Amino acid sequence: MKLFLILLLIAAMIATVVALVRGIITFLRVTEADLKGGNGPSASALKSNKMMQQRILFQGIAIAIVAVLLLMASSS
């Protein structure tokens, strides 16, 4: 069980980094016209926002796994 949780933790950490990098790349591709446009947020801005939300989700999952591992370590 502990090995499974450690593998899940590693997967969550990798997913966090991937979502972070994808969000930063998308953010950097936003043009000046997108920023000044009055038609609401552009598609790239929405994609960047979605990537950052995924990053937060994966971070939360990683923190929950660490908490479970710490609880398992303290009870044994």
Side-chain angles (χ1 to χ4, degrees):
M1 177 72 171
K2 189 174 182 180
L3 177 63
F4 178 70
L5 287 174
I6 291 172
L7 292 175
L8 278 179
L9 177 61
I10 292 169
M13 292 184 327
I14 290 171
T16 300
V17 171
V18 169
L20 175 65
V21 170
R22 286 183 65 196
I24 290 173
I25 289 171
T26 305
F27 176 74
L28 292 175
R29 289 185 179 166
V30 174
T31 64
E32 187 176 341
D34 290 339
L35 294 174
K36 291 184 178 180
N39 299 335
S42 66
S44 60
L46 292 174
K47 184 177 178 185
S48 177
N49 190 16
K50 184 177 178 182
M51 289 294 107
M52 291 301 128
Q53 289 175 355
Q54 286 182 353
R55 177 187 57 85
I56 292 169
L57 173 70
F58 293 137
Q59 281 179 324
I61 292 170
I63 290 170
I65 293 170
V66 167
V68 170
L69 284 169
L70 288 172
L71 286 173
M72 289 174 59
S74 67
S75 65
S76 55

